[in-house]
Amino acid sequence: MGFPLCWGGGTSSLWDSVSQKIISEERFRQLEKIKTIGSTYMAASGLNASTYDQVGRSHITALADYAMRLMEQMKHINEHSFNNFQMKIGLNMGPVVAGVIGARKPQYDIWGNTVNVSSRMDSTGVPDRIQVTTDLYQVLAAKGYQLECRGVVKVKGKGEMTTYFLNGGPSS
């Protein structure tokens, strides 16, 4: 199964089409949209052997880059539409269970602690920021990504967790 990366963030019909256009870019080929529920959009990477990069962990950096690209797009939309939409993104990494549920209307979905913690990174996040777990921080920091420690956050069902904000990709 591997160790996919999950995120949750705010969305709308317009946003769903924008995010779908971005996810179809070649550099995000390892990502897969899972679902949209209300104002939450869920995507994951590394869900199968063809998208899971155990050695280089490119599926992890692809999702981090995707999250940053979504934030950039939201800023662009706000600047050109005179709106002030805000979005929070939560990122986590780890194993998930994946499958198809439903007899009448089958849907692909993922479950597990990884998904739950990702959702909590979103719900405890700060508008216009990407909040990540310590495990993800360690992988991204080792690859040169720019992160800052947010500090300890109380996370429902987990207690206190040290979290980080993803501020940018590797320095050139």
Side-chain angles (χ1 to χ4, degrees):
M1 167 60 44
F3 295 90
L5 190 68
C6 308
W7 81 276
T11 188
S12 68
S13 297
L14 167 66
W15 188 246
D16 204 27
S17 65
V18 168
S19 59
Q20 199 59 35
K21 181 179 178 183
I22 295 169
I23 206 170
S24 66
E25 293 175 14
E26 176 59 27
R27 66 184 173 141
F28 302 126
R29 66 175 176 70
Q30 294 167 297
L31 279 63
E32 185 172 336
K33 175 190 174 186
I34 304 300
K35 61 185 171 185
T36 302
I37 297 180
S39 66
T40 299
Y41 172 94
M42 183 189 298
S45 67
L47 290 176
N48 59 53
S50 68
T51 61
Y52 177 66
D53 179 7
Q54 186 172 1
V55 178
R57 297 193 148 184
S58 62
H59 65 289
I60 294 173
T61 57
L63 197 53
D65 292 343
Y66 180 63
M68 291 186 293
R69 176 79 167 81
L70 290 174
M71 284 292 190
E72 289 172 13
Q73 188 63 39
M74 181 65 77
K75 183 178 178 183
H76 177 80
I77 288 170
N78 283 340
E79 289 172 355
H80 291 86
S81 67
F82 306 104
N83 283 297
N84 190 26
F85 296 122
Q86 293 186 308
M87 176 173 53
K88 299 184 287 185
I89 296 179
L91 295 172
N92 187 27
M93 60 181 276
V96 300
V97 175
V100 177
I101 58 169
R104 292 189 188 134
K105 190 177 176 187
Q107 294 181 331
Y108 179 76
D109 204 353
I110 58 176
W111 306 270
N113 184 60
T114 300
V115 177
N116 294 339
V117 172
S118 176
S119 176
R120 299 292 186 239
M121 291 298 100
D122 171 40
S123 63
T124 63
V126 174
D128 302 320
R129 302 298 300 266
I130 302 168
Q131 182 170 241
V132 305
T133 59
T134 299
D135 289 342
L136 192 54
Y137 163 81
Q138 291 171 346
V139 171
L140 294 176
K143 295 195 169 284
Y145 281 72
Q146 302 161 31
L147 299 113
E148 72 177 271
C149 184
R150 177 183 182 188
V152 176
V153 175
K154 186 163 176 75
V155 177
K156 181 179 174 184
K158 292 290 163 191
E160 294 184 339
M161 293 179 68
T162 301
T163 66
Y164 300 82
F165 289 127
L166 173 59
N167 293 330
S171 301
S172 298

